[in-house]
Amino acid sequence: MRSFLPLLSLGAVAQALHFFIDGTSPKCFYEELPKDTLVVGHYTAEEWDDQRHSWQKHDGINIFISVDELFDNDHRVVSQRGGPGGKFTFTAAEAGDHRICFTPTSTSGRSSWMSVSNPNGGIKLTLDMAIGESSAIESADKGKLQDLATRARDLNNRLQDIRREQVFQREREAEFRDQSESTNARIVRWVLIQLVVLGVTCAWQLSHLRSFFIKQKLT
């Protein structure tokens, strides 16, 4: 049975829906896309949890995603296998119908078929697709981009603070080095002055003693 997504209008279209997939049979949608149209899809696959009484994601769910160009002998442009949540993207190379299929597998051991006795069987797949120009799709992720930009600005501010701290530490080190060199120079000058004074004092004392002994001999 063929399922059709709404036809594109002018500009970008964001399409969010959820549906249930029985067994491992693929669930396919057909979309007519203009040439060079960018498609970005986010999906989440969940399975019924009897203990929590709700649909839950778990690592045992896998989703195989395929996108075929019907106008080009079913040429496959996307063949991707992912976990219970993920993203896929492609660009329509030519205008025409595209078939987008999702095939689930699960290791939970639950019955994968929906029935009267098992109304919560199968896989619940939530699909959020953005179809349109890249600029429009980027605007749909504006919140995420702004968050990344804010984090980048915070990191940049931290780097600037670190640079200022490094400059301050270098200036302090240079000031301390200049003070140390100035202090060492003053100590050296003072030692030299003391040596000169000591030498002059010793010479004067020797000269005085020599004169004294000479006078004692003469007397």
Side-chain angles (χ1 to χ4, degrees):
M1 180 177 180
R2 298 181 62 163
S3 300
F4 293 89
L5 289 175
L7 294 178
L8 286 171
S9 60
L10 294 177
V13 177
Q15 301 164 344
L17 70 157
H18 74 266
F19 48 89
F20 298 90
I21 307 178
D22 280 341
T24 58
S25 59
K27 181 72 172 181
C28 297
F29 298 92
Y30 296 81
E31 186 69 49
E32 184 178 2
L33 300 173
K35 182 179 179 180
D36 296 330
T37 299
L38 178 63
V39 178
V40 178
H42 298 265
Y43 71 90
T44 302
E46 299 171 303
E47 198 169 20
W48 182 259
D49 190 321
D50 291 327
Q51 295 180 350
R52 299 183 181 180
H53 299 287
S54 62
W55 295 93
Q56 300 289 332
K57 292 171 56 177
H58 64 82
D59 293 336
I61 300 176
N62 290 290
I63 301 294
F64 177 73
I65 304 168
S66 63
V67 179
D68 300 321
E69 295 175 337
L70 301 183
F71 57 87
D72 191 14
N73 296 323
D74 291 340
H75 173 247
R76 180 154 294 181
V77 294
V78 174
S79 180
Q80 173 182 326
R81 186 176 300 277
K87 173 184 177 181
F88 65 94
T89 179
F90 69 94
T91 301
E94 298 291 340
D97 288 332
H98 290 70
R99 181 176 59 225
I100 306 172
C101 295
F102 302 88
T103 306
T105 58
S106 174
T107 60
S108 66
R110 284 181 52 84
S111 173
S112 56
W113 293 95
M114 300 177 67
S115 62
V116 176
S117 61
N118 187 31
N120 294 321
I123 299 293
K124 178 183 177 182
L125 188 70
T126 302
L127 178 62
D128 186 3
M129 290 181 58
I131 303 175
E133 297 178 355
S134 59
S135 59
I137 292 177
E138 289 173 359
S139 65
D141 293 333
K142 186 176 181 180
K144 295 181 180 179
L145 294 176
Q146 288 179 346
D147 183 56
L148 292 175
T150 300
R151 293 184 182 180
R153 284 195 298 269
D154 291 340
L155 289 175
N156 188 40
N157 291 333
R158 291 181 183 179
L159 289 175
Q160 290 179 354
D161 291 338
I162 293 173
R163 290 194 186 100
R164 283 194 293 268
E165 181 67 21
Q166 290 176 341
V167 171
F168 175 74
Q169 291 296 335
R170 285 197 295 267
E171 291 177 350
R172 290 287 301 273
E173 291 175 358
E175 182 180 356
F176 178 76
R177 184 173 59 253
D178 294 340
Q179 291 179 351
S180 299
E181 292 177 353
S182 177
T183 301
N184 292 334
R186 287 197 297 268
I187 292 174
V188 170
R189 286 197 299 269
W190 176 242
V191 170
L192 291 176
I193 292 173
Q194 287 182 327
L195 290 175
V196 171
V197 172
L198 182 61
V200 172
T201 302
C202 291
W204 179 81
Q205 288 181 344
L206 290 174
S207 176
H208 179 72
L209 289 174
R210 182 180 179 185
S211 299
F212 174 76
F213 287 127
I214 290 175
K215 289 181 180 179
Q216 290 292 330
K217 287 182 180 180
L218 292 176
T219 57

